[in-house]
Amino acid sequence: MAKVKVATTWLECCSGCHMSFLDLDEKLVELLSKIEFDASPITDIKDFHPVDVGIVEGAVGNEEQLEVLRKIRENSKILIALGDCACFGGIPAMRNFFDKDEVLKRVYIETESTVNPKKVIPHEDVPKLFPSVKGIDQFVKVDVYIPGCPPDPRAIEYALKELLEGRIPVLPPELLSYE
Ligand code: SF4
């Protein structure tokens, strides 16, 4: 039987959700007999191709992230929002309490570790920042949500196994908290 193709990506995030994925440890080896990774930070394949399942970690806070999100959505039959950032905006959405220009000034000029004598905020060669950070379903259709910061590896395993059985996963309450 052909393996189920999976692509993953990360947007505005800390990579902790992918680390949780890798925390499946030996169970990942078992899963790899049924799935294969295409584009992913895990494989370092950067171009998206049509896959059965797309998994997105992270929120959307700039135009490059939105472009990546749209590409993985277009190429995925089922799209999973992995982690609180992808589901709801999560930690990156804490900047939504501040004006975008205040955030840029703080990051590029005021931070204690910054050396920027000309006090220039770059506008070229960096993706345009959106006024606020949002979960991915504010931009594209999401089929499955796996919340958590990070999600419990068992929740990721459960969701993938349900999908392999042809079911859209509904996480049981015990998998909604990290152990
Ligand atoms: S949900 Fe938590 S672990 Fe995942 S990317 Fe966001 S901050 Fe990191």
Side-chain angles (χ1 to χ4, degrees), residues 12-18 57-58 82-86 89-92 148-151:
E12 197 148 311
C13 62
C14 75
S15 79
C17 294
H18 271 74
E57 166 184 341
L82 180 64
D84 284 355
C85 296
I91 300 286
C149 183

Side-chain angles (χ1 to χ4, degrees), residues 128-169:
K128 190 175 157 207
L129 203 65
F130 291 152
S132 61
V133 177
K134 294 176 180 168
I136 64 171
D137 68 358
Q138 301 298 300
F139 302 95
V140 299
K141 178 174 176 278
V142 170
D143 303 294
V144 179
Y145 295 84
I146 307 179
C149 183
D152 191 305
R154 295 171 308 142
I156 301 169
E157 179 193 17
Y158 177 88
L160 286 174
K161 284 192 168 168
E162 284 290 281
L163 287 171
L164 287 169
E165 292 295 325
R167 295 187 287 266
I168 292 291

Side-chain angles (χ1 to χ4, degrees), residues 5-178:
K5 288 192 173 172
V6 176
T8 79
T9 193
W10 48 29
L11 306 175
E12 197 148 311
C13 62
C14 75
S15 79
C17 294
H18 271 74
M19 295 305 116
S20 204
F21 203 149
L22 296 178
D23 272 347
L24 280 170
D25 297 328
E26 69 278 5
K27 289 179 181 164
L28 196 53
V29 176
E30 187 193 320
L31 268 175
L32 285 172
S33 65
K34 298 185 179 125
I35 69 172
E36 70 178 297
F37 287 104
D38 194 277
S40 169
I42 297 168
T43 58
D44 207 25
I45 298 172
K46 306 220 186 308
D47 293 330
F48 291 107
H49 311 102
V51 293
D52 301 294
V53 181
I55 300 176
V56 179
E57 166 184 341
V60 176
N62 69 38
E63 58 186 14
E64 182 193 34
Q65 292 158 353
L66 180 56
E67 191 182 322
V68 171
L69 175 63
R70 287 192 169 134
K71 276 188 194 156
I72 193 169
R73 172 69 275 184
E74 282 163 17
N75 281 285
S76 305
K77 291 181 193 159
I78 302 278
L79 191 74
I80 298 178
L82 180 64
D84 284 355
C85 296
C87 292
F88 318 115
I91 300 286
M94 289 173 73
R95 85 156 162 91
N96 296 352
F97 293 105
F98 304 93
D99 177 75
K100 182 187 76 169
D101 292 329
E102 273 181 63
V103 172
L104 288 168
K105 191 170 155 206
R106 174 74 187 139
V107 168
Y108 284 107
I109 297 174
E110 295 177 348
T111 39
E112 289 69 12
S113 57
T114 299
V115 178
N116 184 358
K118 291 188 180 165
K119 303 199 183 309
V120 174
I121 296 175
H123 293 290
E124 291 174 11
D125 303 324
V126 289
K128 190 175 157 207
L129 203 65
F130 291 152
S132 61
V133 177
K134 294 176 180 168
I136 64 171
D137 68 358
Q138 301 298 300
F139 302 95
V140 299
K141 178 174 176 278
V142 170
D143 303 294
V144 179
Y145 295 84
I146 307 179
C149 183
D152 191 305
R154 295 171 308 142
I156 301 169
E157 179 193 17
Y158 177 88
L160 286 174
K161 284 192 168 168
E162 284 290 281
L163 287 171
L164 287 169
E165 292 295 325
R167 295 187 287 266
I168 292 291
V170 178
L171 294 178
E174 63 271 21
L175 291 183
L176 291 173
S177 61
Y178 196 97

